[in-house]
């Protein structure tokens, strides 16, 4: 699952609550080892680019 692309699309659509839900899901996936550290880093960079982090 491409959390970064989903987050980017949600932000573009103005769906800020959904974007936060995507981040929460990604954090849970990371804790479970379901996504790579690189994927987490990419999402973090995207969130910071939008001023959310």
């Amino acid at each position: 699952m491409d959390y970064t692309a989903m987050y980017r699309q949600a932000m573009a659509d103005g769906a800020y609550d959904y974007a936060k839900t995507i981040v929460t899901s990604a954090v849970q996936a990371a804790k479970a080892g379901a996504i790579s550290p690189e994927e987490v880093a990419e999402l973090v960079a995207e969130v910071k680019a939008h001023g959310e982090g």
Side-chain angles (χ1 to χ4, degrees):
M1 186 172 293
D2 189 345
Y3 291 101
T4 301
M6 291 173 23
Y7 176 85
R8 193 177 295 131
Q9 186 62 52
M11 292 300 287
D13 292 344
Y16 305 115
D17 288 339
Y18 182 54
K20 289 181 181 181
T21 300
I22 292 166
V23 172
T24 300
S25 295
V27 167
Q28 291 173 344
K31 287 180 179 178
I35 61 175
S36 71
E38 292 81 13
E39 290 172 292
V40 174
E42 183 180 348
L43 179 59
V44 167
E46 188 70 25
V47 171
K48 286 184 177 183
H50 283 94
E52 296 289 324

